[in-house]
Amino acid sequence: MTTPMISNNWSRFVLPLVRKEWIEKRIAIVSPAEQFYGIEASKAAAEYSQGVGSFGVIEEYNASSDGDNAIAYDSFSALYEKTFTHKEYARGVSIERKLWDDDQLGTIRRKASGLGAAFGTTRATHASSVFNNAFSGSYVGGDSVSLCNASHPTNVKNEATYSNAGSTALSEAAITATLLAGHALEDDRGNPMPSIYDVLYVPIALQAKAYEFAKELAPAQTTAQSQFVSSRGLSVVVDPYLTDAKNWFMLDSVQAKMHLLWFNRVMPEINTDPASDFNLMARFAGYMRYS
């Protein structure tokens, strides 16, 4: 039996169903990149990140007899600043009253689920965009160059640069060279600051090769190089949101969470659109804001 309703409140009956389907579909769609972000809540219109230099190697403590200058005080170099300005994302869905009256719950669920999928896909696309735009000069970090670049400045005081970019196809030799390059990185004072790459991050097209190289799946691979690569215990992460079938990346998961930042200003939500006139049409608006 149809539940009696009047035109200005029937949408309240639909909202719980819409919200449930929207949430379930939204949270089911996640970019593999999200696990490597340092994710924080934000209460401001924008957030700021300031890079800081190292303190170098600490000298032995040697107190003088009169207590003067017992501790050597140091200061770090201010590095590069980045501003995170939150953006708003919103979209709605309309549900006709006749769908509810005619018990067309499947159609209502599909509409709500589709909207939830759009929100999940949007966040997933943005999470993976840091890799899709890694070589683009239109997307730069605080040091004014792209994420993967041959000319990253070491600090603001001199012209020294370092590279974390490559153009070699995925192979055991390329993985080995990248692992060694990561180990050789230095901080802004020239001290060793190795990146211990533990993740091989690849698009769908390269997943078979990635697993073969990282896990030594082919029994015929007995070279010292293949043994070295397989011994590193690399985790293979396949990202279906990567847009280039040839680009692959190696990540230091600990460093990534420190420097790859995501700020949630408003978590995804869905509510009845207050602008709806409820004239046999309920409108539900989803909204989120982040950077």
Side-chain angles (χ1 to χ4, degrees):
M1 180 176 178
T2 303
T3 304
M5 292 174 286
I6 59 177
S7 61
N8 65 351
N9 72 4
W10 76 272
S11 60
R12 299 176 188 173
F13 292 84
V14 187
L15 178 58
L17 175 63
V18 170
R19 181 174 286 151
K20 176 179 180 295
E21 297 297 327
W22 180 85
I23 291 175
E24 288 183 355
K25 192 62 175 180
R26 178 185 64 77
I27 64 178
I29 299 177
V30 179
S31 165
E34 189 170 320
Q35 64 187 298
F36 302 112
Y37 277 85
I39 300 177
E40 301 179 29
S42 172
K43 294 184 178 181
E47 297 288 343
Y48 305 91
S49 175
Q50 174 69 63
V52 296
S54 74
F55 282 94
V57 178
I58 305 301
E59 64 279 345
E60 179 184 0
Y61 176 72
N62 185 18
S64 61
S65 58
D66 57 8
D68 291 336
N69 301 318
I71 297 178
Y73 286 87
D74 196 2
S75 63
F76 56 79
S77 298
L79 297 182
Y80 304 97
E81 184 176 293
K82 189 68 175 178
T83 301
F84 295 75
T85 303
H86 309 310
K87 294 183 179 180
E88 297 177 292
Y89 302 91
R91 182 170 294 179
V93 63
S94 298
I95 306 293
E96 301 88 342
R97 172 170 174 162
K98 65 182 180 181
L99 294 177
W100 180 270
D101 289 341
D102 296 344
D103 201 27
Q104 299 296 307
L105 298 184
T107 300
I108 295 175
R109 287 192 175 98
R110 283 191 291 275
K111 283 194 170 188
S113 180
L115 184 61
F119 273 76
T121 300
T122 299
R123 289 174 68 90
T125 300
H126 289 160
S128 295
S129 68
V130 69
F131 298 105
N132 290 326
N133 298 320
F135 295 90
S136 172
S138 298
Y139 299 88
V140 299
D143 59 359
S144 299
V145 298
S146 59
L147 176 63
C148 294
N149 198 287
S151 300
H152 279 289
T154 301
N155 58 51
V156 298
K157 295 182 178 180
N158 60 49
E159 297 180 354
T161 62
Y162 69 94
S163 174
N164 70 336
S167 58
T168 307
L170 182 63
S171 66
E172 282 184 341
I175 294 173
T176 300
T178 305
L179 286 167
L180 296 179
H183 289 171
L185 287 175
E186 298 178 343
D187 64 20
D188 61 305
R189 295 190 176 189
N191 295 311
M193 188 186 70
S195 280
I196 310 301
Y197 296 131
D198 56 351
V199 176
L200 182 55
Y201 201 85
V202 299
I204 293 174
L206 295 180
Q207 60 183 315
K209 284 187 176 182
Y211 278 107
E212 177 183 337
F213 297 145
K215 307 299 182 182
E216 196 178 6
L217 298 181
Q221 294 178 342
T222 57
T223 66
Q225 183 168 261
S226 66
Q227 291 175 353
F228 170 75
V229 171
S230 62
S231 71
R232 303 308 301 169
L234 292 171
S235 297
V236 176
V237 175
V238 181
D239 187 347
Y241 296 96
L242 291 183
T243 55
D244 192 304
K246 297 180 180 180
N247 281 355
W248 58 279
F249 305 85
M250 295 194 70
L251 314 180
D252 178 331
S253 60
V254 175
Q255 293 283 345
K257 287 189 175 183
M258 293 174 61
H259 302 292
L260 185 58
L261 306 179
W262 181 297
F263 294 99
N264 284 312
R265 181 64 183 91
V266 178
M267 291 295 293
E269 61 184 30
I270 187 167
N271 289 292
T272 305
D273 188 342
S276 174
D277 59 10
F278 306 121
N279 185 18
L280 303 182
M281 184 77 71
R283 296 182 176 89
F284 303 94
Y287 176 83
M288 55 188 176
R289 186 179 174 205
Y290 56 84
S291 60

